[in-house]
Amino acid sequence: MKKRALFYILLFLFNLCSLYFIMKLFTADLLVQYVLYEDNITESPRLTAYVLYICCLSNLYFQFFIWMEHFFNDKIQS
């Protein structure tokens, strides 16, 4: 049981760190990629940031749901 609790805590911290980097990605105006022959391609990271943001928030939501189910589980005692 201790390993499971440690895993959930690490997963929660990882999701919080991911949210921090996703917010930093939202503030980036564009990414410049240099390809062969010194051409550059600009790309906006907004769509990628939205997908990562939704994924990270859904992970936190389901983890919170699992925690609440565990804490409020009716323990039947015989």
Side-chain angles (χ1 to χ4, degrees), residues 27-75:
T27 61
D29 290 337
L30 56 96
L31 298 175
V32 178
Q33 175 185 10
Y34 294 101
V35 292
L36 295 176
Y37 308 114
E38 297 181 5
D39 292 336
N40 58 359
I41 301 171
T42 60
E43 178 180 317
S44 177
R46 294 244 303 166
L47 181 62
T48 306
Y50 280 124
V51 171
L52 291 173
Y53 184 67
I54 290 170
C55 182
C56 191
L57 286 182
S58 66
N59 284 340
L60 286 172
Y61 172 74
F62 285 118
Q63 189 176 9
F64 181 74
F65 181 74
I66 288 171
W67 285 353
M68 290 301 110
E69 184 181 20
H70 175 73
F71 289 137
F72 294 112
N73 191 7
D74 292 334
K75 305 223 184 299

Side-chain angles (χ1 to χ4, degrees), residues 12-25:
F12 179 74
L13 293 175
F14 177 75
N15 279 319
L16 287 181
C17 290
S18 297
L19 278 177
Y20 172 75
F21 289 114
I22 290 169
M23 290 302 151
K24 288 292 186 184
L25 189 60

